[in-house]
Amino acid sequence: SLKSVVTLTDSPLTETLFRVAGKMTEDSSDAQIKALKRPADDTHTETEYEDKKLKTDQDERKYPKKKVALLMAYSGKGYYGMQRNAKNSQFRTIEDELVTALVRAGCIPEGHGDDMKKMSFQRYAPVHHLNVLKLAGYKRVTGGFNSKNNCDARTYSYMLPTVSFSPKDYNQEDTSFCLSSETLQKVNCLFGLYKGTHNFHNFTSQKGPRDPSAKRYITHMSCGEPFVRQEAEFAVITVRGQSFMMHQIRKMIGLVIAVVKGYVDERVIERSWGEDKVDVPKAPGLGLVLERVHFGRYNKRFGGDGIHETLEWTEEEEAISAFKDKHIYPSIVETELHEKSMVNWMATLYIHDFEATATGNQERKVDDANPSEDLR
């Protein structure tokens, strides 16, 4: 019917549907036009015929495949992680929502939604704690592009209440705490120690000190100026590195918090890069956000070939920032103030024996108190 054509032309398949609509409006015979004027009960068969014809035209038409990179912003609260599990569809994930949206928009065939290998689907690093999904942009990439292998750096942020940097004998539930400029300077000096290549075997699990893969390269880490949300002060830590291991960022932050609060001397940071086992506390997962993945080498090689664009998202920065301010940061703040994940974690810091080798019992006690894990 005409109503169906108008509704469909508002969909992303505009070009295809305009052509279908054109066949009805420009090439229709008098008999077809008269059929549109029949009563509803008489046009039922004609409508079914046109709907089937439209579906057949779309099914038979072949479109050239082009690989694209999608930039997504999403809040994962209420979902069961990022990665899709087709065998257990009752637990919705972020990828379930994405694939459903792509099929409805006509970006991928419906059959490919059940088998993601058919569309060469790749993912890189889901974000922890990010029910809203926004497709911020897309760009064409080379046929051999791989979102994980072509990524040469990652930037994460970590939002936390500034009372995390208060002395250990301070009331950790006091939301009126304000971070002084002197303490912020000390925090950033400690974060600065992480810059460069170090052996982070103590900042993850199941890696020994002589495992070459435990060496990671950090280019930047700092804490920004504090700000107030819901009458409590927060700050955002930013870290950029070539790559990160499971729990690494949370442990890097956890160890600095332990030093600032006075549980251990700052020399523990350099000692943690040695061969000895050091008991490094793991900060809560709440607040950890993957901000950006960097494709420097790919951009240099293909960004100026006249066919592909550089994978930079400067034009989308304003929309991404607005999304975080509306959906991500408020969720982190509300969850922290309600569940007190950081406060409860700080109450376990005394368990750690920073001067001795960490024991399995110590790690189990702390993990039981903080069951959340990174979703990467």
Short mmCIF file of all heavy atoms in Angstrom, two decimals, residues 235-265:
data_model
loop_
_atom_site.label_atom_id
_atom_site.label_comp_id
_atom_site.label_asym_id
_atom_site.label_seq_id
_atom_site.Cartn_x
_atom_site.Cartn_y
_atom_site.Cartn_z
N ALA A 235 36.84 12.03 40.33
CA ALA A 235 37.90 12.38 39.40
C ALA A 235 38.03 11.24 38.38
O ALA A 235 37.56 10.12 38.62
CB ALA A 235 39.23 12.59 40.12
N VAL A 236 38.66 11.55 37.25
CA VAL A 236 38.83 10.54 36.19
C VAL A 236 40.32 10.34 35.92
O VAL A 236 41.05 11.30 35.65
CB VAL A 236 38.11 10.96 34.90
CG1 VAL A 236 38.43 9.98 33.77
CG2 VAL A 236 36.60 11.05 35.12
N ILE A 237 40.75 9.10 35.99
CA ILE A 237 42.13 8.71 35.67
C ILE A 237 42.16 8.26 34.21
O ILE A 237 41.28 7.53 33.76
CB ILE A 237 42.59 7.56 36.58
CG1 ILE A 237 42.57 8.02 38.05
CG2 ILE A 237 43.98 7.08 36.19
CD1 ILE A 237 42.66 6.87 39.04
N THR A 238 43.17 8.71 33.47
CA THR A 238 43.32 8.32 32.07
C THR A 238 44.65 7.60 31.89
O THR A 238 45.68 8.05 32.39
CB THR A 238 43.29 9.55 31.15
OG1 THR A 238 42.07 10.28 31.37
CG2 THR A 238 43.36 9.14 29.69
N VAL A 239 44.61 6.47 31.19
CA VAL A 239 45.83 5.71 30.94
C VAL A 239 45.84 5.25 29.49
O VAL A 239 44.84 4.76 28.98
CB VAL A 239 45.95 4.50 31.91
CG1 VAL A 239 44.73 3.61 31.86
CG2 VAL A 239 47.21 3.70 31.62
N ARG A 240 46.97 5.43 28.86
CA ARG A 240 47.16 4.97 27.48
C ARG A 240 48.38 4.07 27.41
O ARG A 240 49.44 4.36 27.98
CB ARG A 240 47.35 6.15 26.52
CG ARG A 240 47.70 5.72 25.09
CD ARG A 240 47.70 6.86 24.11
NE ARG A 240 48.23 6.46 22.81
CZ ARG A 240 48.08 7.15 21.69
NH1 ARG A 240 47.41 8.29 21.71
NH2 ARG A 240 48.59 6.72 20.55
N GLY A 241 48.22 2.96 26.71
CA GLY A 241 49.32 2.02 26.57
C GLY A 241 49.19 1.23 25.29
O GLY A 241 48.15 1.25 24.62
N GLN A 242 50.26 0.52 24.97
CA GLN A 242 50.26 -0.29 23.75
C GLN A 242 49.25 -1.43 23.87
O GLN A 242 48.53 -1.74 22.92
CB GLN A 242 51.66 -0.84 23.51
CG GLN A 242 51.88 -1.44 22.14
CD GLN A 242 53.33 -1.82 21.93
OE1 GLN A 242 53.94 -2.50 22.75
NE2 GLN A 242 53.91 -1.38 20.83
N SER A 243 49.19 -2.04 25.04
CA SER A 243 48.22 -3.10 25.32
C SER A 243 48.18 -3.32 26.82
O SER A 243 49.09 -2.91 27.55
CB SER A 243 48.60 -4.40 24.60
OG SER A 243 49.88 -4.84 25.03
N PHE A 244 47.13 -4.00 27.27
CA PHE A 244 46.96 -4.25 28.70
C PHE A 244 46.55 -5.70 28.93
O PHE A 244 45.86 -6.30 28.11
CB PHE A 244 45.90 -3.32 29.29
CG PHE A 244 46.26 -1.87 29.22
CD1 PHE A 244 45.82 -1.10 28.15
CD2 PHE A 244 47.03 -1.27 30.20
CE1 PHE A 244 46.14 0.24 28.07
CE2 PHE A 244 47.36 0.07 30.12
CZ PHE A 244 46.92 0.83 29.06
N MET A 245 46.97 -6.23 30.08
CA MET A 245 46.57 -7.57 30.48
C MET A 245 45.34 -7.50 31.38
O MET A 245 44.98 -6.43 31.88
CB MET A 245 47.72 -8.25 31.22
CG MET A 245 48.96 -8.46 30.36
SD MET A 245 50.34 -9.20 31.28
CE MET A 245 50.81 -7.84 32.34
N MET A 246 44.72 -8.66 31.59
CA MET A 246 43.56 -8.75 32.46
C MET A 246 43.91 -8.21 33.84
O MET A 246 44.92 -8.59 34.43
CB MET A 246 43.09 -10.20 32.56
CG MET A 246 41.87 -10.39 33.43
SD MET A 246 40.40 -9.68 32.71
CE MET A 246 40.03 -10.85 31.42
N HIS A 247 43.09 -7.29 34.34
CA HIS A 247 43.21 -6.69 35.67
C HIS A 247 44.35 -5.69 35.81
O HIS A 247 44.50 -5.08 36.88
CB HIS A 247 43.36 -7.75 36.78
CG HIS A 247 42.27 -8.76 36.80
ND1 HIS A 247 42.43 -10.02 37.31
CD2 HIS A 247 41.00 -8.71 36.35
CE1 HIS A 247 41.30 -10.70 37.19
NE2 HIS A 247 40.41 -9.92 36.61
N GLN A 248 45.17 -5.53 34.79
CA GLN A 248 46.36 -4.69 34.94
C GLN A 248 46.03 -3.27 35.37
O GLN A 248 46.64 -2.74 36.31
CB GLN A 248 47.15 -4.67 33.63
CG GLN A 248 48.42 -3.82 33.71
CD GLN A 248 49.15 -3.73 32.39
OE1 GLN A 248 48.97 -4.59 31.51
NE2 GLN A 248 49.98 -2.72 32.21
N ILE A 249 45.10 -2.62 34.69
CA ILE A 249 44.78 -1.22 35.01
C ILE A 249 44.23 -1.10 36.42
O ILE A 249 44.62 -0.20 37.18
CB ILE A 249 43.80 -0.64 33.98
CG1 ILE A 249 44.46 -0.59 32.60
CG2 ILE A 249 43.33 0.75 34.39
CD1 ILE A 249 43.53 -0.17 31.48
N ARG A 250 43.34 -2.00 36.78
CA ARG A 250 42.74 -1.95 38.12
C ARG A 250 43.79 -2.14 39.21
O ARG A 250 43.71 -1.53 40.29
CB ARG A 250 41.64 -3.00 38.23
CG ARG A 250 40.42 -2.69 37.38
CD ARG A 250 39.49 -3.87 37.26
NE ARG A 250 39.01 -4.32 38.55
CZ ARG A 250 38.27 -5.42 38.72
NH1 ARG A 250 37.96 -6.18 37.67
NH2 ARG A 250 37.87 -5.77 39.92
N LYS A 251 44.79 -2.96 38.93
CA LYS A 251 45.85 -3.16 39.93
C LYS A 251 46.82 -1.99 39.95
O LYS A 251 47.35 -1.63 41.01
CB LYS A 251 46.58 -4.48 39.64
CG LYS A 251 45.75 -5.71 39.98
CD LYS A 251 46.63 -6.93 40.21
CE LYS A 251 45.82 -8.07 40.81
NZ LYS A 251 46.65 -9.13 41.38
N MET A 252 47.07 -1.38 38.80
CA MET A 252 47.91 -0.19 38.78
C MET A 252 47.29 0.92 39.63
O MET A 252 47.99 1.60 40.40
CB MET A 252 48.09 0.29 37.33
CG MET A 252 48.92 -0.64 36.45
SD MET A 252 48.80 -0.27 34.69
CE MET A 252 49.70 1.29 34.61
N ILE A 253 45.99 1.09 39.50
CA ILE A 253 45.29 2.10 40.29
C ILE A 253 45.21 1.68 41.75
O ILE A 253 45.43 2.50 42.66
CB ILE A 253 43.88 2.32 39.71
CG1 ILE A 253 43.98 2.95 38.32
CG2 ILE A 253 43.03 3.20 40.64
CD1 ILE A 253 42.68 3.02 37.56
N GLY A 254 44.93 0.41 41.99
CA GLY A 254 44.83 -0.07 43.36
C GLY A 254 46.10 0.11 44.16
O GLY A 254 46.07 0.48 45.34
N LEU A 255 47.26 -0.12 43.53
CA LEU A 255 48.53 0.03 44.23
C LEU A 255 48.82 1.49 44.56
O LEU A 255 49.32 1.81 45.64
CB LEU A 255 49.66 -0.57 43.39
CG LEU A 255 51.01 -0.72 44.09
CD1 LEU A 255 50.88 -1.54 45.37
CD2 LEU A 255 52.03 -1.36 43.15
N VAL A 256 48.52 2.39 43.63
CA VAL A 256 48.72 3.82 43.90
C VAL A 256 47.82 4.28 45.04
O VAL A 256 48.24 5.06 45.91
CB VAL A 256 48.46 4.66 42.63
CG1 VAL A 256 48.33 6.14 42.97
CG2 VAL A 256 49.58 4.44 41.62
N ILE A 257 46.58 3.82 45.07
CA ILE A 257 45.68 4.18 46.17
C ILE A 257 46.25 3.71 47.50
O ILE A 257 46.23 4.44 48.50
CB ILE A 257 44.27 3.57 45.93
CG1 ILE A 257 43.58 4.28 44.76
CG2 ILE A 257 43.41 3.67 47.19
CD1 ILE A 257 42.23 3.68 44.38
N ALA A 258 46.78 2.49 47.52
CA ALA A 258 47.37 1.96 48.75
C ALA A 258 48.55 2.80 49.22
O ALA A 258 48.72 3.04 50.42
CB ALA A 258 47.81 0.51 48.54
N VAL A 259 49.34 3.29 48.28
CA VAL A 259 50.49 4.14 48.63
C VAL A 259 50.02 5.49 49.16
O VAL A 259 50.50 5.97 50.21
CB VAL A 259 51.41 4.33 47.40
CG1 VAL A 259 52.48 5.38 47.70
CG2 VAL A 259 52.06 3.01 47.00
N VAL A 260 49.10 6.13 48.47
CA VAL A 260 48.61 7.45 48.88
C VAL A 260 47.93 7.38 50.24
O VAL A 260 48.07 8.31 51.07
CB VAL A 260 47.63 8.02 47.82
CG1 VAL A 260 47.01 9.33 48.30
CG2 VAL A 260 48.36 8.23 46.49
N LYS A 261 47.23 6.32 50.52
CA LYS A 261 46.52 6.19 51.80
C LYS A 261 47.47 5.86 52.94
O LYS A 261 47.10 5.97 54.11
CB LYS A 261 45.43 5.11 51.70
CG LYS A 261 44.35 5.45 50.69
CD LYS A 261 43.21 4.44 50.70
CE LYS A 261 42.25 4.75 51.82
NZ LYS A 261 41.55 6.03 51.65
N GLY A 262 48.69 5.45 52.62
CA GLY A 262 49.68 5.20 53.66
C GLY A 262 49.83 3.76 54.09
O GLY A 262 50.41 3.49 55.14
N TYR A 263 49.34 2.83 53.30
CA TYR A 263 49.50 1.42 53.64
C TYR A 263 50.89 0.89 53.32
O TYR A 263 51.34 -0.10 53.90
CB TYR A 263 48.45 0.57 52.91
CG TYR A 263 47.07 0.67 53.49
CD1 TYR A 263 46.11 1.51 52.93
CD2 TYR A 263 46.70 -0.09 54.60
CE1 TYR A 263 44.82 1.59 53.46
CE2 TYR A 263 45.42 -0.02 55.15
CZ TYR A 263 44.49 0.84 54.57
OH TYR A 263 43.22 0.92 55.11
N VAL A 264 51.58 1.52 52.37
CA VAL A 264 52.88 1.03 51.94
C VAL A 264 53.66 2.18 51.32
O VAL A 264 53.07 3.16 50.83
CB VAL A 264 52.70 -0.13 50.93
CG1 VAL A 264 51.98 0.35 49.69
CG2 VAL A 264 54.03 -0.78 50.58
N ASP A 265 54.98 2.07 51.34
CA ASP A 265 55.84 3.08 50.76
C ASP A 265 55.81 3.00 49.23
O ASP A 265 55.60 1.92 48.66
CB ASP A 265 57.28 2.86 51.25
CG ASP A 265 58.22 3.96 50.81
OD1 ASP A 265 58.31 4.98 51.51
OD2 ASP A 265 58.82 3.80 49.73
#
